[in-house]
Amino acid sequence: MKKTGALIIGAVAALVLAIGAIWFASGWWDGADVEEDTNFIVPSGATLTSVANKLEDEGLIGSADGFLLRAKILGSGDPIKAGEFLLPSGASPARILDTFQHGEVIRRFVTIPEGLPSIMVYERLMAEDLLTGEIPVPAEGSVLPDTYDFERGESRGEVLARMQAAMKNYLAEAWPKRGDDIAVDSIEEAVILASIVEKETGVARERRMVAGLYSNRVKDGMLLQADPTIIYPITKGKPLGRRIRQSEIAAINDYNTYTMVGLPKGPITNPGRESIAAVLNPAETTARYMVADGTGGHAFAETLDEHNANVAKWFEIRRQRGEM
């Protein structure tokens, strides 16, 4: 009888242990307090203990102590990463820990379009609430237009540094591929001329043609007469919002190419890859003049007489539209 009783007690104990083990494991693999897809931030330098307490505070796990005990026994010993993570609806504690250890941090995006001046790059980054810290207005022409990803809480300085490094890397790659007898003698000059091409190109297919025209003017020592160079000293590249005044056309400064021969002292915007490539390999053309053609593009001309005829056509289009 004693032996039978001992066997029964042993069996009961084993059963209790088995049930306890199942309960303990199910609380790790099956427990689900995440009721809907939830973004969760693991702060930089956080420990698993502090993260467990934060999970409990936010109602995503039942017990921080239970989470930590199960993580120690059943989880991976890999370190957790800082960042913002998506915890899907129904995520178990096991999946939560795995997400923090091996999952992808949520990335967000900011786009800098071609031809966005640096003052507006600054404003765009400062308006992004998920970034932190202050930045200066970047040097004009130092940012490569593109779409950049970032993490919540990342500093604006880090994002801006990536944008500027991208421009340096692209220029280093593009400059050795330049054509023969181009109009610029340095990378810096290429960016300046590309910034004018960027602002003066209405349709993408004309980019190399516009670059060829301005390259011809630079080589010939002609006034470039690019309207955006009048506007830049006034607005730092923002839209003027009105017609250019005669006094502004006649203004003498380091940018206005109506009153100076050659390139401005610096870029007037942040040119994109295609405008830089166009300056480094412009179209072969005899054109020296262009005027809007009413379709968003330009009519190109080699001689002043041809140009004047194109201007007359453009004025007639504007009169028909009621703009004159």
Side-chain angles (χ1 to χ4, degrees), residues 112-119 121 138-148 163-171 174 184 186-201 207 210-211 228 232 236-237 255 263-264 266-280:
I112 305 301
E114 289 83 356
L116 193 73
S118 283
I119 184 63
V121 173
E140 200 69 73
S142 68
V143 169
L144 184 67
D146 206 338
T147 295
Y148 296 87
M163 295 175 173
Q164 293 177 315
M167 177 62 94
K168 289 181 180 178
N169 292 339
Y170 175 71
L171 291 171
V184 294
S186 66
I187 291 176
E188 293 74 20
E189 288 185 353
V191 175
I192 294 172
L193 186 53
S195 73
I196 295 175
V197 171
E198 190 71 73
K199 299 299 287 187
E200 288 281 42
T201 301
R207 193 172 276 113
V210 173
Y232 186 78
K236 294 302 179 185
Y255 287 94
L263 298 172
I268 60 170
T269 196
N270 291 288
R273 293 177 178 85
E274 296 303 319
S275 290
I276 295 170
V279 166
L280 297 180

Side-chain angles (χ1 to χ4, degrees), residues 68-272:
L68 291 169
L69 179 60
R70 288 179 172 90
K72 183 176 182 180
I73 296 173
L74 301 174
S76 164
D78 294 342
I80 59 174
K81 300 184 292 186
E84 183 180 12
F85 299 88
L86 175 64
L87 302 181
S89 174
S92 65
R95 183 167 182 181
I96 291 173
L97 178 61
D98 184 67
T99 298
F100 296 159
Q101 292 173 326
H102 311 118
E104 292 296 324
V105 174
I106 294 174
R107 311 290 303 185
R108 289 176 168 80
F109 300 91
V110 58
T111 296
I112 305 301
E114 289 83 356
L116 193 73
S118 283
I119 184 63
M120 296 180 74
V121 173
Y122 165 83
E123 291 174 350
R124 185 161 295 197
L125 289 176
M126 291 304 297
E128 181 50 70
D129 293 337
L130 299 180
L131 293 173
T132 62
E134 297 289 327
I135 54 170
V137 177
E140 200 69 73
S142 68
V143 169
L144 184 67
D146 206 338
T147 295
Y148 296 87
D149 66 343
F150 66 90
E151 295 180 28
R152 178 195 287 265
E154 189 172 4
S155 76
R156 294 180 177 89
E158 291 173 333
V159 178
L160 177 58
R162 290 204 298 276
M163 295 175 173
Q164 293 177 315
M167 177 62 94
K168 289 181 180 178
N169 292 339
Y170 175 71
L171 291 171
E173 174 187 318
W175 180 250
K177 300 175 184 178
R178 65 191 181 278
D180 297 329
D181 193 32
I182 58 175
V184 294
D185 297 323
S186 66
I187 291 176
E188 293 74 20
E189 288 185 353
V191 175
I192 294 172
L193 186 53
S195 73
I196 295 175
V197 171
E198 190 71 73
K199 299 299 287 187
E200 288 281 42
T201 301
V203 292
R205 67 175 181 275
E206 290 185 354
R207 193 172 276 113
R208 292 186 66 239
M209 185 69 174
V210 173
L213 182 153
Y214 278 116
S215 294
N216 289 339
R217 282 185 165 246
V218 170
K219 292 177 183 179
D220 292 349
M222 297 175 65
L223 295 172
L224 299 187
Q225 294 182 313
D227 288 359
T229 66
I230 301 173
I231 297 171
Y232 186 78
I234 304 170
T235 68
K236 294 302 179 185
K238 290 186 176 182
L240 185 58
R242 57 170 172 77
R243 294 195 181 281
I244 298 171
R245 299 175 181 137
Q246 283 299 130
S247 60
E248 293 164 344
I249 296 174
I252 297 175
N253 54 57
D254 293 330
Y255 287 94
N256 185 4
T257 56
Y258 276 78
T259 58
M260 63 179 288
V261 174
L263 298 172
K265 74 171 184 178
I268 60 170
T269 196
N270 291 288

